[in-house]
Amino acid sequence: MRLFRRVLAPLAAVFMALTLTGCMVSSPEELYSLPALSEEYLQLQELIDQRISEGGEYAAPTGGSYRQSIQLQDLDGDGTAEALAFLADSSHTPSICVYRRDDAGSYYLYVIIDGAGSAVSSVEYADLTGDGASELIIAWQISGDIRLLAVYALSTQAQERLLSVDCSEFLVSDLNGDGTEDLVDLRIGGSDPGVDLYTFSHDGEASSLSAALSSGVSSVRRMRTGGLSDGVQALFVESSREDGLVTDVFTATDTALTNITMTGAGYSNTLRQRDVFAADINGDGAMELPAWYGDLLQWSSLSSSGYRNMVMTTYHNYDDGWYLVLDGLLNQDVTIERSYSAVGERSVSFTVPGSGAEPPRTVLILYFLTGENRLDRAQSEGRFILHQDESSVYAAQILGDDITQDGVMNAFHLIYAEWQTGDL
C-alpha cells in the first residue's frame, strides 16, 4: 500500500488534467462512482513506473511555484502538454524525464535531463528566446546556498542546454521592457555579490549584463520586480547586512544593468535597522521604500534616475498586525505610547503637543482586544470597531475634535504576512 500511494499520488494532478475535458456525469450512479482512469493516464503511469522499477523514486522540486513530482507543460507551443516527471536514482541524483504524445495520443519518453547535485531546488517555464516555445529553467541544488542554474531548450529533436551558471536565487521577468522574458541570476556567495541579467536571441545565444549588490550582504531576504514612480520596471533585492536590512534596486536597458540605489560607499542608500520591506504602500502601482524615524515609517517612491519622493508616513504595529496612515489624520510630531493595561487588551495612544500653556493631549487610541467579552469592550466608552476576526477585535477611541471616525477607518490597515517576513 505504501508503494502504491508513492506511485499513484504524484500522478493525480496529471489524471485530473487529462479527464477535465470529459463529459459531465448524467446519473446518480455516475455521480457516486469513481471516474474511470483514462488510457492516456494509465499509459503514462506505466512509463513512469518503469523508470521507478529501475531503482528511481519521485523527487519533487523543493522550492518555487512548481513543486509537483509530475507536471504538465506545453513546452513546444503546439497546444499539447508534455509531462515532466521529477525523479532521483538510487544514489539520489536528480533527473527529469520528459514525455511527449505522438499523433495517436500515446505518451513516449522524449528525453531525460540528467541533473547535478542532490535535488531540483526550483523550476520555471518561460519563453526566453521569443520563438513561441518555453525553455525549461532548472536550479539544481549543489550544496548549502549554492545552486547550478541551467536553461534547456526542448523544442528541437534533442535537448539543448543554453546556459549553465552558479546561482543563489533566480527569477524570470521582462526587466528591460523589450517584450521577451529575461532571466535574473542572483549571486551571494564569494567576494563579489551581484546580479546578472541574461537575455537570449531567437537561436538561443545568451548575452549578459551585470551589476553589484551592496557590499557585506550575508543573505537575501526577498527578490521581486515592481514599478518605479515613472513607470519603469525594476528589480528589488532586499538583503541582510550586519548593520541592518538594505534594498538594492536595479533597472535595465538593452545595454546596461544599473543599481540606482548604490552609493560611493559600496552599498545602497536604503539601509535600515528593522525588518520592514519595500511595498506598494499606497496602491499607486509603484513600489515604495521604507525608512524608520523613531516610531514612524516614512515611505518614498523612487524614479529610474534615483530621485526619491516621500509619499506617506505610517505607524506600523507588527505585534498586533496593523498599521495607521498618519497623513491627513495626525501631525508627524505625534508621540506614540503602547499600553498593556488589562488582560486581553493592548492599546496604542497617539498624543499631540500642546500649544502655548496647554499640555500635550491624547487624541486617538487604537485597541487590540481578545477574550470572550471583546466585542462588548470594543464598543464601550465611545469606542468603535475597525476590524474583527474569529479571535480578536481591532477598535478605536477618538478623543480629539479634529479626527473623524471615517478618517480613522480609512487610515487603518492590516499588515499582510509577507511584509513581516519577506523571506524567499
Side-chain angles (χ1 to χ4, degrees), residues 203-226:
D203 60 6
E205 183 178 355
S207 301
S208 66
L209 299 169
S210 300
L213 278 171
S214 290
S215 61
V217 297
S218 57
S219 64
V220 172
R221 304 288 298 279
R222 169 182 288 178
M223 180 170 63
R224 63 186 299 185
T225 56

Side-chain angles (χ1 to χ4, degrees), residues 6-234:
R6 186 184 66 178
V7 173
L8 186 59
L11 287 170
V14 175
F15 167 65
M16 291 298 295
L18 292 173
T19 55
L20 281 176
T21 56
C23 298
M24 298 293 290
V25 295
S26 56
S27 69
E29 290 78 11
E30 291 174 326
L31 182 63
Y32 288 102
S33 62
L34 292 174
L37 300 181
S38 67
E39 292 184 7
E40 293 89 350
Y41 166 79
L42 292 172
Q43 190 252 331
L44 176 61
Q45 177 181 293
E46 186 175 325
L47 290 174
I48 299 175
D49 285 350
Q50 181 180 349
R51 299 292 306 177
I52 292 177
S53 68
E54 296 171 358
E57 61 180 358
Y58 287 111
T62 59
S65 302
Y66 300 93
R67 301 193 184 190
Q68 302 83 7
S69 296
I70 308 295
Q71 300 180 22
L72 294 178
Q73 292 289 330
D74 181 9
L75 298 175
D76 55 10
D78 65 352
T80 301
E82 283 73 40
L84 296 91
F86 292 78
L87 307 173
D89 61 20
S90 57
S91 62
H92 305 293
T93 301
S95 64
I96 304 170
C97 294
V98 181
Y99 299 91
R100 281 186 168 166
R101 298 175 71 175
D102 57 26
D103 294 339
S106 297
Y107 281 98
Y108 66 94
L109 180 60
Y110 173 69
V111 69
I112 300 175
I113 300 175
D114 294 320
S118 59
V120 173
S121 177
S122 58
V123 56
E124 291 288 343
Y125 307 92
D127 181 7
L128 300 176
T129 61
D131 63 354
S134 293
E135 279 68 49
L136 182 61
I137 306 164
I138 301 291
W140 304 103
Q141 184 70 50
I142 303 302
S143 63
D145 294 331
I146 303 301
R147 299 171 178 86
L148 179 66
L149 180 62
V151 176
Y152 302 89
L154 304 179
S155 57
T156 57
Q157 292 301 314
Q159 75 174 56
E160 180 182 3
R161 188 164 63 182
L162 306 182
L163 182 72
S164 181
V165 293
D166 290 339
C167 169
S168 297
E169 299 289 345
F170 78 92
L171 61 76
V172 175
S173 176
D174 180 14
L175 196 58
N176 60 11
D178 65 355
T180 301
E181 299 278 42
D182 310 316
L183 181 61
V184 178
D185 176 21
L186 178 69
R187 296 174 286 99
I188 290 295
S191 58
D192 185 28
V195 171
D196 299 320
L197 176 67
Y198 291 94
T199 57
F200 296 82
S201 65
H202 287 301
D203 60 6
E205 183 178 355
S207 301
S208 66
L209 299 169
S210 300
L213 278 171
S214 290
S215 61
V217 297
S218 57
S219 64
V220 172
R221 304 288 298 279
R222 169 182 288 178
M223 180 170 63
R224 63 186 299 185
T225 56
L228 299 177
S229 60
D230 51 5
V232 173
Q233 189 78 351

